[in-house]
Amino acid sequence: NAGLNTFLNGDRDKGIAMMTQGIKRPAIKRLDDAKLRLGVSYALNGERAKAVEILATVAGNEGIKDAARLWSAFAKQPAQSAAPAVALVPATPPTAPAASK
């Protein structure tokens, strides 16, 4: 999905616009998948009410509806300030214990 790729590469508004336009096409093959991606994008973009609205329209099988329900629960949570970045690698390497004699 070009819209999702655009969104994930940092041009969030353009990505959402592309996905919204794509959903309106009559020949879309997996509409529920597209709605899920759009709803997730809205949630990650901080547009939580819009995310809940879109995710509520997701139907289908194969876990798509369950995934939409989980993302909707996430979107309904109160917005919190960004968590501090956590370093995955220690700033200084650990020192080896001194060898015993």
Side-chain angles (χ1 to χ4, degrees):
N1 182 313
L4 181 61
N5 289 336
T6 301
F7 177 87
L8 294 174
N9 283 317
D11 197 349
R12 292 180 165 209
D13 292 333
K14 182 177 180 182
I16 287 174
M18 290 171 69
M19 286 184 271
T20 301
Q21 195 173 40
I23 284 175
K24 294 177 183 176
R25 290 180 31 211
I28 190 164
K29 290 182 182 178
R30 297 186 61 122
L31 180 60
D32 289 314
D33 290 356
K35 288 179 180 179
L36 176 63
R37 288 190 294 268
L38 178 59
V40 168
S41 297
Y42 273 122
L44 294 175
N45 203 37
E47 300 177 60
R48 293 170 178 253
K50 188 69 174 174
V52 171
E53 179 185 329
I54 295 292
L55 292 167
T57 67
V58 175
N61 302 320
E62 302 170 7
I64 297 293
K65 191 172 183 176
D66 294 332
R69 197 171 59 237
L70 289 172
W71 274 101
S72 185
F74 166 79
K76 290 176 182 176
Q77 296 295 314
Q80 298 176 357
S81 61
V86 176
L88 298 177
V89 179
T92 57
T95 57
S100 61
K101 294 183 182 184

